């Protein structure tokens, strides 16, 4: 019979809402440069990790920092389904 394991971890996330101060908050959170693009498909944020490594978040999505410092993007709904808010 398989054994089931559970691990509680803490992550941090910032929602890209394109409001005043949000861009600086994301720069400070990631420690990386960003670029905001206004396209026909809407507003999106690019977190520039390197020449060929860019994280793209659409308006309303979250930039998440995992326990090991790895960055990823997910929707607020997916984040809230997987994690419980414990404080700001």
């Amino acid at each position: 019979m398989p054994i089931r394991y559970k691990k509680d971890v803490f992550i941090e996330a910032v929602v890209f809402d394109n409001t005043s101060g949000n861009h600086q908050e994301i720069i400070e959170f990631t420690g990386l440069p960003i670029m905001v693009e206004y396209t026909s498909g809407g507003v999106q944020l690019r977190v520039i990790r390197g020449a060929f490594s860019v994280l793209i978040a659409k308006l309303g999505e979250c930039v998440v920092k995992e326990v090991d410092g790895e960055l990823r993007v997910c929707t607020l709904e997916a984040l809230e389904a997987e994690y419980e808010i414990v404080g700001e």
Side-chain angles (χ1 to χ4, degrees):
M1 170 174 255
I3 300 172
R4 183 178 291 182
Y5 294 91
K6 179 183 176 189
K7 178 173 94 172
D8 289 329
V9 296
F10 292 95
I11 62 165
E12 295 178 316
V14 175
V15 177
F16 170 53
D17 58 17
N18 202 33
T19 57
S20 176
N22 186 236
H23 303 160
Q24 187 61 39
E25 181 182 18
I26 293 171
I27 290 168
E28 291 172 5
F29 177 69
T30 63
L32 297 168
I34 66 165
M35 183 174 71
V36 178
E37 294 180 325
Y38 299 89
T39 68
S40 60
V43 181
Q44 66 182 22
L45 170 85
R46 291 177 170 264
V47 179
I48 304 164
R49 298 187 286 194
F52 300 104
S53 179
V54 177
L55 213 69
I56 299 174
K58 295 179 180 161
L59 190 63
E61 290 186 325
C62 301
V63 178
V64 178
K65 188 181 293 182
E66 300 286 352
V67 174
D68 62 1
E70 184 74 23
L71 296 173
R72 68 179 171 103
V73 173
C74 74
T75 65
L76 188 57
E77 293 79 20
L79 188 65
E80 290 176 348
E82 189 175 347
Y83 296 94
E84 174 187 347
I85 296 175
V86 293
E88 292 184 24

